[in-house]
């Protein structure tokens, strides 16, 4: 049995106990979280929000680029969110990533180098600040008054704000 | 008190009860989930996975483009995941999105049109299939044997597979 089949079995149990009360699409707490995809971080649990409360955008690193600005623009323009919470974390695979080594490894399997940037970073706090800047400098994100960035410590569960 | 401050307060309580047992960075169940950012969908709850089990990549729509291939390539090459689960959902704001209307609205605030694609779609199942194709056709994703796509029904909590 594959993991995917196991997840589907778990979903059947979940759906049986599902509360059919319909939630609106617009996040109740008007916040969008942009976080790393890391398996040890569960944004809803770590930040104490529930179903229907927040948009959650995630990628390798929790960094902000055009694709994340697209999601954030949709979140704010169409679905009314107003605050942005950015989360990187300790022990991230993108921190200190040797991009050249990974590109070479990918090329050896794919037959050509990746046609996209790998987007590693060498300083965790600086990467958070850079992501904050990308949001606050984007004219396509209407609400830029509350854009705050954090490092999630996988060792303690604590969020540490980056100023 | 802003929502972000409330989330930080919730995080302090979370960190106090945090299990300090350290989890490895590599997802235990070797799966990466790519899902919509929708507030009504909590992938861990809906699929029954726990801390340390799975990478979670999310964006507006749950679609796959270069940025999601980047995350997936990192997930598989660096952190050993092998299966991919793609999730779109009913009631998605990207389904039937009037891109021109949104672009005009964005332009009226930003002073120029967005310099990125908005990536709405007109057919939910077809968009899932297109995302499956983008993964299975990418040479930068080494494990393409188990790439399965689903529609999550926000009305029932059920995942419906798209073939």
């Amino acid at each position: 049995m594959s993991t995917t089949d196991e997840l589907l079995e778990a979903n059947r149990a979940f759906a049986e106990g599902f509360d059919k009360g319909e939630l609106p699409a617009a996040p109740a707490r008007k916040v969008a979280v942009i976080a790393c995809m890391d398996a040890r971080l569960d944004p809803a649990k770590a930040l104490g929000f529930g179903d229907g409360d927040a948009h959650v955008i995630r990628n390798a690193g929790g960094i902000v680029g055009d694709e994340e600005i697209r999601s954030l623009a949709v979140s704010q323009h169409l679905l009314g969110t107003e605050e942005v919470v950015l989360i990187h974390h300790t022990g991230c695979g993108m921190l200190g990533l040797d991009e050249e080594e990974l590109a070479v490894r990918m090329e050896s399997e794919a037959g050509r180098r990746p046609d996209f940037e790998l987007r590693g970073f060498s300083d965790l706090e600086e990467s958070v600040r850079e992501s904050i800047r990308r949001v606050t400098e984007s004219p396509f994100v209407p609400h830029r008054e509350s854009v705050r960035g954090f490092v999630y410590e996988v060792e303690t569960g604590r969020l540490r704000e980056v100023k």
Side-chain angles (χ1 to χ4, degrees), chain A:
Chain A
M1 195 171 180
S2 71
T3 298
T4 303
D5 285 324
E6 289 170 4
L7 297 176
L8 287 178
E9 202 159 280
N11 175 255
R12 276 187 282 274
F14 170 79
E16 272 175 31
F18 188 76
D19 177 1
K20 302 287 194 297
E22 271 182 46
L23 292 166
R29 297 178 71 182
K30 297 183 188 292
V31 62
V33 176
I34 303 182
C36 183
M37 67 180 179
D38 193 89
R40 297 163 292 183
L41 169 61
D42 182 328
K45 277 162 63 177
L47 295 166
F49 60 82
D51 295 338
D53 276 348
H55 280 144
V56 183
I57 298 158
R58 303 183 68 175
N59 63 34
I63 54 181
V64 174
D66 277 351
E67 166 61 3
E68 291 70 35
I69 293 293
R70 176 189 74 88
S71 291
L72 204 49
V74 167
S75 175
Q76 294 198 356
H77 275 282
L78 294 186
L79 292 158
T81 66
E82 297 174 354
E83 296 180 41
V84 182
V85 171
L86 302 168
I87 306 179
H88 285 39
H89 65 94
T90 55
C92 186
M94 304 309 285
L95 176 62
L97 176 71
D98 186 334
E99 294 194 1
E100 182 56 26
E101 194 242 307
L102 178 54
V104 166
R105 201 195 312 180
M106 288 169 75
E107 184 179 10
S108 77
E109 289 197 21
R112 57 187 169 92
R113 288 179 72 88
D115 46 8
F116 46 85
E117 284 182 43
L118 293 169
R119 304 171 77 194
F121 43 82
S122 57
D123 183 309
L124 198 54
E125 278 75 16
E126 196 40 57
S127 179
V128 173
R129 285 186 203 102
E130 173 67 19
S131 286
I132 293 173
R133 270 194 298 274
R134 286 191 183 152
V135 176
T136 55
E137 289 175 2
S138 173
F140 304 110
V141 177
H143 297 283
R144 288 169 283 172
E145 304 79 29
S146 182
V147 181
R148 292 165 65 183
F150 303 87
V151 169
Y152 175 79
E153 301 175 348
V154 296
E155 303 82 6
T156 66
R158 195 176 303 126
L159 282 174
R160 172 158 46 87
E161 185 150 15
V162 178
K163 302 272 190 183

